[in-house]
Amino acid sequence: MTTYTRIDSPDAPEPQGGYTQALAVEGASKLLFVSGQIPETREGKVPGGFEEQCRLVWAHILAALRAADLDVSHLVKVTTYLSDRRYADVNGAVRREILGDHRPALTVIIADIYDSQWLLEIEAIAAL
């Protein structure tokens, strides 16, 4: 049986914004590496606003998890690339809504995204 243990050391800053410093995974029988998901539909359409793009990216991640018979509770690491730090609050709010009480390890990076229409990209690792 896979167990997930949050590790938040008292010797490091307390996690803010819905993540944990580290997440220990024991007994995993499956690892899923979700490539960077982009805010584009299968038809090549990119929503104009950040929140819509963020929700679309999370929909792609959820679809990959479902295809592997997993769900958000199996996420152990999420890396988000934002095109601008002004999107941080909305990004965090959408992520917390999607993940509920689950707190994977998390990294947010401000980066020059591959396509100028894309305001973010998210990659993830899940374990079962």
Side-chain angles (χ1 to χ4, degrees):
M1 181 170 112
T2 306
T3 60
Y4 306 89
T5 305
R6 287 180 58 177
I7 299 173
D8 293 318
S9 170
D11 298 326
E14 184 176 337
Q16 303 295 314
Y19 73 98
T20 186
Q21 291 173 354
L23 189 68
V25 180
E26 296 182 40
S29 60
K30 178 194 281 189
L31 288 175
L32 177 70
F33 295 86
V34 182
S35 294
Q37 297 298 299
I38 60 171
E40 195 168 296
T41 66
R42 288 181 68 90
E43 297 76 32
K45 303 229 183 290
V46 177
F50 179 80
E51 184 171 346
E52 295 82 11
Q53 287 195 19
C54 189
R55 291 184 183 285
L56 180 58
V57 168
W58 275 106
H60 296 330
I61 292 168
L62 295 173
L65 290 169
R66 277 192 308 274
D69 294 322
L70 301 172
D71 61 41
V72 295
S73 70
H74 298 105
L75 288 171
V76 295
K77 176 72 168 109
V78 174
T79 303
T80 302
Y81 301 89
L82 298 178
S83 64
D84 194 299
R85 78 178 64 257
R86 71 179 174 209
Y87 302 127
D89 289 342
V90 174
N91 173 66
V94 171
R95 183 187 64 248
R96 287 187 295 276
E97 177 187 321
I98 300 292
L99 297 181
D101 291 334
H102 185 59
R103 299 290 184 257
L106 173 69
T107 301
V108 178
I109 300 167
I110 309 304
D112 188 17
I113 307 295
Y114 180 78
D115 186 310
S116 62
Q117 294 182 83
W118 304 341
L119 302 176
L120 78 160
E121 185 172 338
I122 301 175
E123 63 184 18
I125 301 171
L128 173 65

